[in-house]
Amino acid sequence: MTILALESSCDDTGAAVMRDGALLSNVVATQHVHEQYGGVVPELASRAHQQHVLPVVTAALRQAGVGKHELDAVAVTQGPGLLGSLLVGGMFAKSLALALDKPLLAVNHMRAHILAHFIEEPRPAFPFLCLTVSGGHTQLVVVRSALAMEVIGQTIDDAAGEAFDKTAKLLGLPYPGGPRLDKLAQTGNPRRFAFPEGALPGGYDFSFSGLKTAVLYFLKKETAAYPPFIEENLADLCASIQHTIVSTLLRQLRRAAAATGLTQVALAGGVAANSGLRAALQAEAQERGWQVFIPAFPFCTDNAAMIAMSAHFQYLAGDFASQLLSPDPRLKLK
Ligand code: KG4
Ligand code: ZN
């Protein structure tokens, strides 16, 4: 069973080929056009997807050594994501499936982030708990099987990656600020400044907009009194902000693990690269006897290999889409 998968939900155009669950190729074209705007510009993202989709698919087939007539199915991200971006991948996949007379598979991007754990060893066993943290999403999910997932907590406003990027921007760091803030945090004191945590009481939800506002007003006050405040305290500011975000994530993860009794804990999404989050999770795991799973970085950020992995499970379950498939920017995970 050979599947070609496409990913175009945000600002990465991806194509991957998978045969019987084994990844044969995984190509991603990242769009740099957004850097000058300090965030993803949806219209520019759609246009860049249009430019990248054919070369990326061609490269994925070539690297896999697979001709298009050898494909058994074409898979594509249906949502969630940016409508214009999803449309480009969706139309391409539908056209290709129609031309080749092969079945189409519609993949939920959030489910795919979680199933990225099955691309390579070590793979978690079902059921497990997954914290998906990216620029667009923050979700705590009980993963019962490849196709049965329950979202038990999520952000009610900004995603964790957005919290990193937006606070980094307030510190004057270029977009996307998350990785830069992480690097600077490594030499800073995480307990120097205290910011409000965003773990909502009651369930397992998160809120990160309060942190952004708190940092904004704090910096305004301090720089009014002493203009070089940010540059002279940059590492400590980064470390303190990172510590706040990581503590918030860990607090809800700890509560969810205790309530569900799950001891296999998985991280997914681009923020899984954060060194503070990784260290805190490993420390927590040691203390509580959790087994931790983090996919290799190229499978954490947006990629088509994870779309192919989800499509693989869906193909086995007979979960196919029709040519009437349309993108759903707010597609829910279930
Ligand atoms: O999963 P991803 O590539 O794209 C989305 O689906 O959003 O995640 C990108 C996000 C960005 O917000 C980026 O700043 C953040 O992940 N990120 C990090 C780090 N590496 C990537 N945030 C904090 N520390 C990092 N090392
Ligand atoms: Zn993503």
Side-chain angles (χ1 to χ4, degrees):
M1 185 224 306
T2 309
I3 298 172
L4 169 72
L6 273 81
E7 155 63 27
S8 70
S9 65
C10 190
D11 61 340
D12 294 300
T13 319
V17 178
M18 185 172 271
R19 178 171 288 158
D20 298 328
L23 187 64
L24 301 185
S25 65
N26 181 37
V27 178
V28 185
T30 300
Q31 306 176 359
H32 295 289
V33 60
H34 309 286
E35 282 160 16
Q36 60 189 295
Y37 300 99
V40 176
V41 183
E43 178 56 30
L44 296 180
S46 324
R47 287 188 220 172
H49 283 303
Q50 286 180 333
Q51 287 164 357
H52 292 161
V53 67
L54 183 58
V56 164
V57 167
T58 306
L61 288 169
R62 195 179 53 237
Q63 285 180 25
V66 167
K68 56 183 184 293
H69 294 286
E70 292 175 71
L71 296 173
D72 296 304
V74 181
V76 68
T77 307
Q78 184 187 9
L82 300 169
L83 178 60
S85 292
L86 292 165
L87 270 168
V88 177
M91 289 310 294
F92 190 95
K94 276 165 67 167
S95 310
L96 187 60
L98 187 66
L100 297 173
D101 194 22
K102 296 296 176 194
L104 189 66
L105 294 143
V107 175
N108 181 310
H109 181 88
M110 301 312 293
R111 180 196 280 169
H113 265 302
I114 295 171
L115 294 177
H117 286 94
F118 294 85
I119 299 170
E120 291 181 332
E121 293 286 352
R123 298 171 169 91
F126 299 111
F128 63 93
L129 189 62
C130 186
L131 175 66
T132 310
V133 271
S134 73
H137 304 277
T138 300
Q139 289 189 333
L140 255 173
V141 184
V142 174
V143 187
R144 301 192 203 288
S145 76
L147 303 178
M149 304 187 178
E150 187 191 348
V151 180
I152 58 169
Q154 54 196 321
T155 180
I156 60 160
D157 41 54
D158 293 346
E162 226 175 334
F164 274 110
D165 295 340
K166 288 181 175 172
T167 49
K169 194 171 176 178
L170 296 174
L171 296 173
L173 303 177
Y175 175 86
R180 291 175 168 97
L181 188 147
D182 182 1
K183 195 145 194 265
L184 287 159
Q186 287 167 23
T187 57
N189 174 2
R191 306 207 178 260
R192 171 89 188 281
F193 305 107
F195 297 112
E197 278 196 19
L200 294 181
Y204 307 103
D205 285 341
F206 306 90
S207 166
F208 289 107
S209 61
L211 169 66
K212 182 184 59 190
T213 313
V215 171
L216 173 69
Y217 285 108
F218 176 72
L219 294 177
K220 268 194 178 160
K221 189 178 96 214
E222 295 296 332
T223 51
Y226 182 62
F229 177 78
I230 294 179
E231 56 188 272
E232 286 185 13
N233 296 285
L234 190 56
D236 289 347
L237 284 164
C238 289
S240 301
I241 290 169
Q242 178 162 302
H243 175 74
T244 308
I245 297 173
V246 170
S247 305
T248 302
L249 294 172
L250 259 290
R251 179 183 300 257
Q252 296 301 56
L253 187 58
R254 196 182 301 126
R255 293 183 58 240
T260 58
L262 295 171
T263 55
Q264 293 182 98
V265 177
L267 271 189
V271 180
N274 184 265
S275 63
L277 179 58
R278 284 170 170 254
L281 183 59
Q282 296 296 355
E284 191 83 28
Q286 232 168 20
E287 193 183 322
R288 299 180 190 271
W290 294 347
Q291 204 182 343
V292 170
F293 297 87
I294 307 175
F297 187 61
F299 304 135
C300 281
T301 53
D302 286 350
N303 67 89
M306 68 184 196
I307 306 301
M309 196 69 245
S310 182
H312 168 85
F313 287 113
Q314 290 175 240
Y315 191 108
L316 294 178
D319 175 18
F320 296 103
S322 82
Q323 278 288 332
L324 296 176
L325 177 71
S326 56
D328 183 349
R330 297 181 181 278
L331 186 65
K332 295 278 179 283
L333 178 61
K334 24 180 204 302

